[in-house]
């Protein structure tokens, strides 16, 4: 009987998707599919917002949040395009069919919405929230068409910088500022090894901009007084899995030459475990410094080894 209910709800979701794409600025809303077992006996369930969930790390964060074992009652995910929303829908369907439950919703947020902190973005917080945690694994890439265009126009270094400034710093900071204004308790961001706000940049060295803007984003977000903290994870080169890797020729080359990097699954597990633990904890730390947690690659590796024991 339970299986029949799950199948029926699964089919409802599948047929619901194309229909919902017809709305101009859609909120693709997957209805609550199943009540989590024992949810009412657990502590109050958490609600989460995820940006960058179409990416390798963000997708893993989303999968984990939809897991049955997590005390998460609601997940809202942001998508910038129809293609991104369709990708998210696929992850959600896949995960829900595997694990069962959770209330999940996709909301379309465009570049302009982040840039102007538009009504659409504000409404995500005021109408879909309140959220306990915001996760972001949103960041630009050299292979994205808009970045390629900018690199052609401004040169490799300055073209890349334009989008690091806009997305990695600007969009993530806009999200964090609105999160704080709207009572979000904890902000978790995937940054990168070597992040350094004071790093030197050189237009002839394209990669010089990357650590600089990761550092600037970390610094600006860490300054925001989220009551349960700011988590900054700084992994090095990621193993994004075969599907994602093959979309980036430089990554295939690096994988062949240097072997796999740090698995995105491990990064996501650490981010989710930390955020859920600190959010469920009643204690609000007195010191601002204690609420900021910077996690480096070694700590992520250690955590994943402990988990595997
Ligand atoms: N890849 C690595 O080896 C590595 C290493 C260390 C740290 N990091 C950092 O870790 C984070 C996650 O990395 P990842 O490799 O998992 O990311 P990814 O697969 O490249 O995914 C990036 C996410 O950001 C979104 N995004 C990109 N440009 C955007 C824009 N202009 N507006 C709105 N959303 C945009 C993408 O959305 P779409 O799907 O719509 O494009 C996607 O959801 C990134 O911040 C990255 O800098 C990466």
């Amino acid at each position: 009987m339970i299986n029949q209910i799950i199948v029926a709800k699964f089919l409802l979701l599948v047929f619901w998707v194309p229909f919902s794409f017809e709305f101009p600025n859609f909120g693709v809303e997957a209805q609550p599919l199943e009540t989590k077992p024992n949810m009412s006996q657990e502590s109050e369930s958490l609600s989460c917002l995820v940006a960058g969930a179409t990416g390798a790390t963000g997708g893993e964060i989303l999968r984990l949040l939809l897991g049955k074992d997590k005390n998460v009652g609601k997940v809202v995910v942001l998508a910038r395009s129809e293609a991104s929303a369709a990708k998210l829908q696929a992850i959600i369907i896949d995960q829900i069919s595997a694990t069962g439950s959770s209330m999940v919703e996709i909301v379309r947020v465009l570049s302009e919405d982040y840039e102007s902190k538009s009504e659409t973005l504000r409404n995500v917080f005021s109408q879909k929230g309140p959220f306990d945690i915001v996760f972001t694994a949103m960041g630009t890439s050299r292979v994205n068409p808009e970045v390629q265009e900018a690199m052609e126009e401004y040169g490799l270094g300055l073209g890349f910088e334009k989008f690091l400034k806009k997305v990695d710093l600007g969009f993530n900071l806009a999200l964090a500022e609105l999160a704080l204004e709207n009572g979000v308790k904890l902000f978790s961001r995937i940054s990168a090894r070597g992040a350094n706000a004071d790093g030197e940049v050189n237009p002839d060295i394209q990669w010089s901009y990357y650590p600089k803007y990761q550092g600037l984003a970390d610094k600006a977000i860490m300054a925001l007084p989220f009551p349960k903290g700011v988590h900054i994870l700084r992994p090095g080169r990621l193993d994004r899995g075969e599907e994602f890797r093959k979309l980036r020729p430089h990554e295939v080359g690096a994988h062949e030459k240097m072997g796999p990097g740090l698995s995105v699954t491990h990064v996501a597990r650490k981010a989710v475990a930390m955020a859920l633990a600190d959010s469920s904890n009643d204690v609000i730390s007195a010191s601002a410094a204690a609420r900021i947690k910077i996690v480096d690659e070694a700590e992520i590796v250690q955590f994943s080894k402990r988990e595997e024991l």
Side-chain angles (χ1 to χ4, degrees):
M1 179 63 184
I2 289 174
N3 280 345
Q4 283 166 337
I5 293 171
I6 292 172
V7 169
K9 287 173 175 175
F10 175 66
L11 289 174
L12 180 71
L13 183 62
V14 170
F15 288 119
W16 203 65
V17 176
F19 173 72
S20 54
F21 277 167
E22 287 168 16
F23 291 101
N25 191 16
F26 59 86
V28 182
E29 198 164 340
Q31 303 299 338
L33 292 177
E34 191 188 345
T35 312
K36 289 190 167 195
N38 300 325
M39 192 61 105
S40 57
Q41 291 152 34
E42 292 173 9
S43 55
E44 210 175 308
S45 67
L46 298 166
S47 72
C48 303
L49 177 71
V50 189
T54 47
T57 317
E60 287 303 305
I61 290 174
L62 175 58
R63 283 191 186 86
L64 290 167
L65 294 176
L66 297 179
K68 231 181 195 155
D69 55 332
K70 302 286 183 298
N71 185 25
V72 175
K74 179 170 68 173
V75 184
V76 172
V77 271
L78 305 180
R80 64 165 163 158
S81 63
E82 286 198 12
S84 302
K87 220 195 271 183
L88 284 173
Q89 200 75 32
I91 297 176
I92 290 165
I93 289 169
D94 192 42
Q95 190 62 12
I96 285 176
S97 66
T99 65
S101 57
S102 215
M103 186 174 183
V104 58
E105 186 174 343
I106 301 170
V107 180
R108 180 103 177 262
V109 171
L110 308 174
S111 278
E112 306 85 271
D113 296 315
Y114 290 104
E115 278 159 10
S116 63
K117 290 189 186 164
S118 74
E119 208 55 33
T120 305
L121 189 55
R122 287 172 190 278
N123 286 345
V124 172
F125 290 95
S126 59
Q127 294 176 8
K128 312 290 181 190
F131 301 108
D132 297 290
I133 310 169
V134 171
F135 290 94
T136 175
M138 176 168 57
T140 195
S141 164
R142 288 178 291 167
V143 302
N144 291 356
E146 68 273 19
V147 185
Q148 295 275 329
E149 269 175 40
M151 291 192 308
E152 261 179 41
E153 191 173 348
Y154 303 102
L156 295 184
L158 296 178
F160 191 30
E161 181 191 26
K162 190 171 151 62
F163 277 87
L164 288 167
K165 190 186 238 172
K166 180 171 162 148
V167 181
D168 297 52
L169 171 60
F171 292 4
N172 283 318
L173 183 57
L175 195 66
E177 286 171 346
L178 286 180
L180 186 67
E181 273 174 36
N182 285 277
V184 169
K185 308 217 174 52
L186 190 149
F187 195 89
S188 171
R189 156 173 150 79
I190 309 299
S191 172
R193 180 171 62 197
N196 177 8
D198 301 318
E200 297 280 315
V201 290
N202 177 344
D204 297 329
I205 305 174
Q206 188 186 25
W207 273 106
S208 64
Y209 292 94
Y210 184 75
K212 169 100 182 166
Y213 280 93
Q214 300 312 318
L216 287 170
D218 292 352
K219 190 173 173 186
I221 291 170
M222 284 190 291
L224 302 175
F226 285 94
K228 299 241 171 165
V230 173
H231 294 174
I232 302 283
L233 286 90
R234 290 181 173 163
R237 186 171 61 89
L238 293 175
D239 179 356
R240 305 183 333 119
E242 205 177 332
E243 287 302 305
F244 278 100
R245 183 163 57 245
K246 68 187 180 199
L247 303 174
R248 296 182 184 171
H250 68 266
E251 222 169 272
V252 174
H255 187 81
E256 280 165 6
K257 235 163 76 194
M258 296 184 269
L262 178 62
S263 158
V264 288
T265 310
H266 292 154
V267 179
R269 279 193 191 149
K270 178 67 181 166
V272 169
M274 279 174 76
L276 296 190
D278 284 3
S279 296
S280 305
N281 187 342
D282 283 341
V283 179
I284 292 187
S285 176
S287 105
R291 289 197 296 272
I292 295 170
K293 292 188 180 166
I294 299 179
V295 181
D296 65 11
E297 172 147 356
E299 199 178 333
I300 298 169
V301 170
Q302 248 178 20
F303 173 81
S304 62
K305 281 190 182 146
R306 273 203 310 274
E307 266 207 323
E308 276 159 18
L309 286 177

